């Protein structure tokens, strides 16, 4: 990523894998992320996160359009339809601005 550091984590589990890329105070994740749970049950935490579905690698997660985002992510300008890479770049830019 340009102008910042993002961390990617890939966890291999039986019959599936979890994919996460985090930067600043937010993250994007594969389809295992439950955006509704974050917005409803954990609303007080204001979690900045986005979800992409149908991805099997970190590269695909970064290239895929986000299918859904939390309300806190939307408030930061991260929207469904933008790529995972665009979302991570916004998180990095926000971190640089402090």
């Amino acid at each position: 990523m340009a102008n910042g550091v993002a961390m990617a984590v890939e966890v291999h589990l039986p019959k599936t894998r979890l994919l996460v890329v985090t930067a600043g105070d937010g993250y994007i994740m594969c389809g295992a992320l439950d955006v509704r749970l974050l917005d409803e049950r954990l609303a007080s935490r204001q979690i900045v996160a986005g979800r992409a579905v149908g991805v099997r690698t970190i590269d695909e997660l970064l290239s895929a359009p986000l299918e859904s985002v939390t309300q806190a992510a939307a408030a930061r300008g991260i929207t469904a339809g933008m790529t995972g890479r665009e979302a991570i770049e916004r998180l990095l830019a926000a971190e640089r601005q402090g």
Side-chain angles (χ1 to χ4, degrees), residues 1-60:
M1 297 274 137
N3 298 314
V5 176
M7 181 173 56
V9 177
E10 186 171 329
V11 179
H12 292 260
L13 300 168
K15 301 182 183 181
T16 193
R17 70 182 66 161
L18 299 177
L19 304 169
V20 181
V21 178
T22 183
D25 66 348
Y27 60 93
I28 60 172
M29 190 171 165
C30 63
L33 179 68
D34 188 340
V35 170
R36 194 168 117 202
L37 172 91
L38 298 179
D39 278 342
E40 293 176 5
R41 307 251 349 244
L42 304 176
S44 64
R45 297 183 190 181
Q46 294 294 296
I47 296 170
V48 177
R51 174 181 187 226
V53 295
V55 296
R56 294 183 169 201
T57 67
I58 296 296
D59 284 338
E60 288 179 2

